[in-house]
Amino acid sequence: MPATTPCDIIFTMTEYKETFIEGGTVTSPRGFKAGAVTAGIKKNRTKPDLGILCSEKPCTAAGMFTTSKIRAAAVIVSEENLKEGRASVIVVNSGCANAYNGEKGIIDAKEMISLAAAHTGVPVSDVLVASTGVTGQLLPMDRIREGIKKIPLSADGGHDLARAIMTTDTVQKEAAVTGRNGTAAYTIGGIAKGSGMIHPNMATMFCFLTTDAPVETGFLKAALKKAVDMSFNMISVDGDMSPSDTVVIMANGAAGGETIQAGSRAAREFRRKLNAVCIRLAAALARDGEGATKLIISNVTGARNLKEARKVARAVVMSSLIKTAVHGGDPNWGRIVAAVAQSGIDVGLSDIDMAIGTVAVLKAGRPLPFDEKDVIGVLRQADVPVSIHLNMGNGSATAWGCDMSEEYVGINSEYMT
């Protein structure tokens, strides 16, 4: 049994606190391999930028993609290949998003799929492609053709792949948990990337998930959608959306046991484990936002329903005024009230209870006496929790964001230079 470490992410919903596999990654589940090479796609040609994730066995699969109306070529091609609910290989590059390139972009994305299929020995129809980086530039296909041939595939290659998909990320995002399906033990693993252009309803992010549990396709699709809705759709760094967002899960059944399907005894635990992995990775994306120094955790309870709770939680982490106040340690709690007021729900000041960390600042809309130094102390922490209770119902949600620093401006004013 692998060593474990307790989850270090703050959740409102305690049922999603899990014990994660120490060093766990996307190849922790049985039968998955990955690898990466430095192909010279990135401007810095010393960093890995091209990789493959593959299963030794055929997989059921599901995916979710950007909601942008103009989508990158890799998204268009991968969504088409996923229609039958199968995929066993993902080929991915960083450094060039292959977005806004018209028919040439589609041709290049399909060629990447063909090259990966030849390298792994699987049908073209079972291969997906993902590309991230600068938009409006063509892929350097000569380097990609040579690079794919050289990608080594191994059971511990998930760490290399996590590094290869990074763009402005400063740290790798990886996670894995174990679960049980009757007498069979299974693992869910994942990696993610994303640091800028992160916004609810998907972001400039990738998340590749794997499991060795046998999972029925329809249930897998439903479980992934629920997991994404409460995780990757609840983060925001800068309010901008990408054409390349991709979340994919592949299940190869190598752990054995009965096929997990909706209504089965194992379905609830599988959902909980998948939710936990996605939440952990989503919070890690927000924590590593471009130029970020702090993670903002917006916990909303007492909303009329889940939809309204999510609107309020998102509004808090999306607010530039809150982001800058958190960065500067300014205890201006009125900005949080303003975010709630513009969230789109029907709310009055007297509905709101609020705390920053453990410091209560508002009760039924009435300011409470508190020492500003206590709030400043919370704002200086690496994790800044904001708790809002609306006294309207049982809806609750959590969103994750980050502060906004001078470094964010520097990164994005020099992205191509």
Side-chain angles (χ1 to χ4, degrees), residues 111-171:
E111 183 178 356
M112 284 185 68
I113 283 178
S114 296
L115 293 166
H119 186 59
T120 57
V122 305
V124 168
S125 59
D126 284 0
V127 181
L128 308 179
V129 60
S131 298
T132 184
V134 179
T135 59
Q137 295 184 356
L138 294 174
L139 288 168
M141 290 305 298
D142 54 340
R143 298 174 198 160
I144 288 174
R145 291 184 193 105
E146 290 304 309
I148 288 177
K149 297 176 186 177
K150 299 175 183 176
I151 295 174
L153 298 172
S154 68
D156 60 359
H159 304 300
D160 293 332
L161 185 62
R163 189 158 48 251
I165 64 176
M166 293 167 58
T167 47
T168 55
D169 305 64
T170 65
V171 295

Side-chain angles (χ1 to χ4, degrees), residues 22-154:
E22 185 175 359
T25 187
V26 72
T27 50
S28 293
R30 280 162 283 194
F32 285 95
K33 295 182 178 181
V37 295
T38 301
I41 304 168
K42 289 178 178 176
K43 184 177 181 181
N44 183 339
R45 295 188 182 179
T46 65
K47 295 183 177 182
D49 50 19
L50 181 65
I52 286 176
L53 171 66
C54 69
S55 171
E56 296 174 345
K57 299 177 62 176
C59 298
T60 58
M64 294 187 69
F65 301 93
T66 180
T67 57
S68 174
K69 297 300 182 183
I70 303 177
R71 306 189 302 166
V75 169
I76 295 169
V77 173
S78 292
E79 191 168 44
E80 179 65 26
N81 270 16
L82 263 179
K83 282 185 176 180
E84 300 300 319
R86 298 191 315 270
S88 301
V89 173
I90 303 172
V91 58
V92 56
N93 76 272
S94 58
C96 177
N98 189 20
Y100 315 140
N101 290 328
E103 186 59 29
K104 174 59 174 170
I106 298 292
I107 291 169
D108 289 346
K110 288 182 176 180
E111 183 178 356
M112 284 185 68
I113 283 178
S114 296
L115 293 166
H119 186 59
T120 57
V122 305
V124 168
S125 59
D126 284 0
V127 181
L128 308 179
V129 60
S131 298
T132 184
V134 179
T135 59
Q137 295 184 356
L138 294 174
L139 288 168
M141 290 305 298
D142 54 340
R143 298 174 198 160
I144 288 174
R145 291 184 193 105
E146 290 304 309
I148 288 177
K149 297 176 186 177
K150 299 175 183 176
I151 295 174
L153 298 172
S154 68

Side-chain angles (χ1 to χ4, degrees), residues 5 30 92 107 199 207 211 248 301 328 348:
T5 55
R30 280 162 283 194
V92 56
I107 291 169
H199 188 57
C207 177
T211 182
V248 172
T301 56

